[in-house]
Every structure is written in structure tokens, then in C-alpha cells.
Amino acid sequence: MKRKARFIVHVDMDAFFAAIEQRDNPSYQNKPVIVGADPKAGKGRGVVSTCSYEARKFGIHSAMPISIAYRKCPQAIFLPPDFEKYSKASEKVYEILYEFSPVIEPVGIDEAFLDITSSYHLFGTPRKTCLKLKERIKAETGLTASVGLAPTKMAAKIASDLKKPDGFIEISPEGLLEFLWPLDVGKLWGVGKKTELALRAMGINTIGDIARKDVKKLIYVFGKSGEHLWELANGIDEREVQIEPEEAKSISNEHTFERDTDDERKIKSTLMILCEKVSRRLREEDLKGRTITLKIRLEGFETHTRAKTIQQPTNFVDFIFKVIKKLYEDFNRKGKKVRLLGVKVSNFSIQEVQNTLFKEKEDVRLEKLHNAVEKINEKFGEGTVHRARSAKSKSKNKS
Ligand code: TTP
Ligand code: MG
């Protein structure tokens, strides 16, 4: 049975960090702007996070050593990243996206898939939906996005990239193969460097070359993934836009350090404060969760999450912290400094169920303690009462 046409959108903001800096400082506009490590007149270490399209003309790109970027364009405006600012802009973009469809898969700070199959009617056609979405992003954030509209995720992703910046490409279901086949084989999802070399050795250079190949031959060489590549090349890509589990309810809190840190006491006390905040919100909303997640972003924007699911749902700070501390201690940050920490509790059970019959004595005691802390904080402001660790670190920070 032929499946109903889907309308998948991929949105990717243009030169995101650099575009935000240009927006906020008119003197940077139309100039090469490079966000990343300090170049120190070409002697700096670290890499380029991103750069404006003006800087790309000099051959500069993300992840390039900053010293090389400096050599290529010493007159560029070099800026350190301001993640707080970028996160805010990202949140605003996501807020807008959610007005166009609830089916959203966040891919990164500036990138997401949307399935608009059930919502485009609200805006007319799928095409009008995308144009409206671009217009809203521009009007409300002052930034441009590139958008791809296609019947599959892979095609939408490729399409959003082809006319950057401020691009829009629409691929109709009938035009899908015509769009895919001339493209370089490296653009196909799942083709890494090794596969690419092997394909080229077989005389396969475009997606069309794969599509026209006998699938049995591909399976012979690449196994199961050979079949998958053949399917993708023939426009068969059933992957759905995956709503992030985070969007299913969770309660979380994050903290970005003013400077990246490797101070263990500071890290642990921050984790404690985050656990307290999450615990409080859980209790306010009468929720207990079983999955506790630590988010840790290291210098260079490298982000990791570690999660543990416990047997008994909880909202007690002591339990949450115990799990978070263990997750942190088991995490190897390989000597890198920490930029951001986050604590999340999800996988909820309904509190009422817990509150009935089997409330243990220990629970009652802890709950009383929490309520008392809550009252004091209400009276004197948040942060008045903390557990020993965070209190100690607070006073230390002040001095
Ligand atoms: P990208 O979307 O890959 O890049 P971009 O938005 O700067 O440019 P494009 O127009 O090509 O989409 O990444 C989004 C942001 O993530 C980018 O602005 C900076 C950050 N980033 C890094 O810090 N390091 C990296 O290596 C990459 C690729 C991105
Ligand atoms: Mg981008």
C-alpha cells in the first residue's frame, strides 16, 4: 500500500553564533566575523566555532584551528562565544517552530526537523508554511534560517543546506528522485569516509549511481547497510520526525559557568543547587520521576548526557543528588573544563498513587524537612537555605 505523502521540514539557522553577533553589533555586519578561540595574533590554540558567510569566502569554517583562520583573514573580527546569548536565541527560534507543528525533532542548538503533514492546512500549503516560518523567524529574532521541505527527512536536510544562507528548497514527492540522483554520493546519510571510498572504487559517484546499481551487488559488498543505502538512494526513507523525549514531560535546570571550570567543589556544589531547584519544582507540581539525567557541556561546546533510571520514583533532593553525583563521578571529562551543567528528572509517576497507602516513615520525615526549607525560602527569598555543600560553596564564592 502506498503511504500517504509526508511533508517534512528541516530548518537550520545560518552562521548561527556569528549571525547573532552581527545582529547585535551593526558595525560587524557585512564583515568577516569569526566566533571561537582567541587567535592571539595567530598564536592562539583552539578552534573556530563558526564564522559569518563573509569569512567563509576566505576558506574559513567551523572546527578549523583558530591560528589558521587568523592566517587566512587577520582583518576578521574575532569574538569569544557567548553561549548564554545563543541559547536565548535558540529558545526563541524553537518557540516559533512549535507554533507551526507540535511534531518537532530538535537536532541541535540551531537545527530541527518538523513534520507539518497535519498542520500545514493552518497556513495554506506546505510551501506557504515554510515561507511563513522563515518570515516569522526573521521578524522575531532578526536572523535568517535556511529551510528544506521534502517527503523524507534526508531530502529535507540536504535541501536546507543547498541554498544557504536564507535559502528555501521545496522537493515534491514526484520530484524526489530527480532531486536526489545528481547529488554526490557523500551526501547520502550513512555514507562515511570508508564507505564513500569503497563506493567510488566501484565507480559509484552520485546517489543516482547507487539507485541504478543491482541491490544484490550492494548487499554483497556492504551487507545489510548496502540495502539501506540502495533504499535511501531510491527515495525510500521511512524515518519519522522523533519528538524529543524531553518534550514528554520532564523537569530540568541548567547552569552555565561564567568561566569554564575544573574546580571539583564548585562543580559539585552547582550540581547540588541544580538538584535542589529541580526537586523543588517537582514537589510544586506533585511529581516524582524515575529517570535522572546529568547534562554536561565541556569547553568547545561538546555536550554529553548520562542518565540512570531508578526503581522507586522520587522528588527528594538527597536521592536525586546521590544519583547525579555518581553519574558525574563516573563521567570522564578527559581533563576538559566544564562549561555547563544540567539536571533533569523525567519518567514520571503520578504522585497521588505514591501518596496513598504505603508512605514510609523516612519519606514523611524528609517531606517535613523539605516543607520547612521551602517556608524559609519563601519568606527570605530563594537560596537562603541550602544543604551544607551548596551553602559552603556560596559563602566561599562571596569571599
Ligand atoms: P551549524 O548549523 O553547523 O553552523 P552555522 O549555523 O554556524 O552555519 P550554517 O549556516 O552552515 O548552518 O552549527 C550551529 C552552531 O553550532 C554554530 O553557529 C556554532 C556551533 N558549532 C560549533 O561551535 N562548532 C562546530 O564545529 C560546529 C559545526 C558548530
Ligand atoms: Mg546552522
Side-chain angles (χ1 to χ4, degrees):
M1 197 182 70
K2 202 167 179 310
R3 131 174 227 181
K4 188 174 146 239
R6 292 182 301 163
F7 295 97
I8 310 236
V9 178
H10 182 258
V11 179
D12 184 355
M13 301 299 293
D14 303 316
F16 193 51
F17 295 0
I20 295 170
E21 299 298 348
Q22 287 183 314
R23 173 195 70 183
D24 293 350
N25 191 330
S27 71
Y28 298 163
Q29 279 162 19
N30 308 314
K31 298 209 176 112
V33 170
I34 299 171
V35 178
D38 184 350
K40 293 192 181 128
K43 296 202 172 71
R45 291 179 53 222
V47 296
V48 173
S49 289
T50 192
C51 60
S52 66
Y53 277 76
E54 293 82 2
R56 293 184 197 197
K57 289 192 192 129
F58 293 85
I60 298 164
H61 55 78
S62 292
M64 171 182 274
I66 200 77
S67 53
I68 295 183
Y70 185 86
R71 245 173 278 155
K72 285 184 183 283
C73 187
Q75 74 275 27
I77 298 152
F78 288 86
L79 300 169
D82 179 348
F83 292 102
E84 206 91 47
K85 193 154 82 173
Y86 312 148
S87 299
K88 272 208 191 98
S90 171
E91 272 167 34
K92 185 72 212 160
V93 170
Y94 272 105
E95 252 172 52
I96 297 168
L97 295 184
Y98 277 101
E99 288 180 36
F100 286 83
S101 171
V103 186
I104 295 192
E105 179 177 331
V107 181
I109 190 163
D110 81 327
E111 197 186 323
F113 286 102
L114 284 74
D115 188 327
I116 57 165
T117 313
S118 308
S119 60
Y120 74 79
H121 306 93
L122 299 170
F123 307 91
T125 61
R127 180 187 179 83
K128 280 189 185 153
T129 310
C130 292
L131 294 174
K132 187 82 198 155
L133 191 153
K134 271 170 68 73
E135 189 188 306
R136 285 277 313 276
I137 292 179
K138 177 82 183 119
E140 285 171 49
T141 68
L143 303 166
T144 60
S146 290
V147 172
L149 165 65
T152 68
K153 279 173 89 173
M154 186 184 79
K157 165 108 180 161
I158 297 173
S160 76
D161 196 45
L162 286 183
K163 274 209 186 149
K164 265 180 164 297
D166 205 10
F168 173 57
I169 292 186
E170 176 185 8
I171 313 296
S172 67
E174 305 73 44
L176 180 60
L177 296 181
E178 198 185 322
F179 169 71
L180 290 177
W181 285 7
L183 296 173
D184 189 87
V185 75
K187 288 227 183 291
L188 203 63
W189 275 3
V191 174
K193 273 276 159 278
K194 255 168 93 182
T195 311
E196 188 179 329
L197 285 176
L199 286 166
R200 293 203 197 279
M202 291 165 75
I204 295 176
N205 290 302
T206 65
I207 294 182
D209 291 341
I210 294 196
R212 285 183 290 264
K213 202 95 198 155
D214 183 354
V215 66
K216 286 200 205 88
K217 178 95 200 267
L218 291 167
I219 295 173
Y220 179 74
V221 180
F222 299 104
K224 185 100 189 101
S225 62
E227 185 179 9
H228 184 55
L229 292 180
W230 183 86
E231 284 182 348
L232 286 178
N234 280 287
I236 304 164
D237 176 12
E238 298 291 314
R239 272 167 295 190
E240 304 281 356
V241 173
Q242 303 272 342
I243 301 174
E244 211 199 19
E246 223 159 312
E247 292 313 315
K249 235 179 144 165
S250 70
I251 285 187
S252 62
N253 221 306
E254 293 183 359
H255 177 79
T256 306
F257 291 104
E258 257 165 43
R259 279 158 181 260
D260 299 354
T261 183
D262 54 6
D263 178 340
E264 285 295 325
R265 285 181 55 174
K266 198 163 166 187
I267 290 169
K268 294 232 172 90
S269 72
T270 302
L271 287 174
M272 177 52 118
I273 293 170
L274 290 172
C275 290
E276 282 177 346
K277 287 186 175 167
V278 168
S279 160
R280 167 172 331 171
R281 279 184 48 212
L282 286 167
R283 282 175 286 117
E284 275 168 7
E285 296 192 25
D286 254 1
L287 292 164
K288 286 186 177 180
R290 286 182 55 220
T291 303
I292 298 170
T293 308
L294 166 73
K295 176 169 167 184
I296 181 158
R297 178 167 294 148
L298 303 174
E299 51 191 310
F301 219 62
E302 187 189 308
T303 309
H304 302 266
T305 53
R306 294 287 183 273
K308 183 172 168 63
T309 297
I310 50 173
Q311 288 233 308
Q312 197 63 15
T314 190
N315 57 17
F316 288 136
V317 65
D318 308 65
F319 298 158
I320 300 171
F321 181 65
K322 201 170 132 196
V323 173
I324 284 289
K325 185 164 163 275
K326 176 90 172 70
L327 288 171
Y328 173 73
E329 284 167 355
D330 290 347
F331 175 79
N332 180 1
R333 57 185 167 82
K334 300 195 180 108
K336 289 192 183 164
K337 289 188 175 173
V338 178
R339 175 178 293 282
L340 170 147
L341 292 168
V343 168
K344 178 172 84 181
V345 174
S346 57
N347 199 354
F348 295 138
S349 69
I350 302 159
Q351 171 102 39
E352 281 80 49
V353 181
Q354 304 297 319
N355 277 349
T356 49
L357 306 171
F358 302 108
K359 187 162 247 185
E360 289 172 23
K361 269 200 186 132
E362 180 64 2
D363 270 13
V364 177
R365 193 186 66 75
L366 282 169
E367 201 144 81
K368 274 192 182 148
L369 174 67
H370 280 299
N371 290 340
V373 170
E374 206 87 293
K375 282 215 179 82
I376 298 171
N377 280 339
E378 259 166 33
K379 204 164 166 196
F380 300 105
E382 197 183 11
T384 313
V385 176
H386 282 283
R387 244 132 276 280
R389 182 186 291 281
S390 48
K392 232 192 270 165
S393 130
K394 270 207 146 196
S395 53
K396 190 172 162 253
N397 286 346
K398 264 187 206 151
S399 61

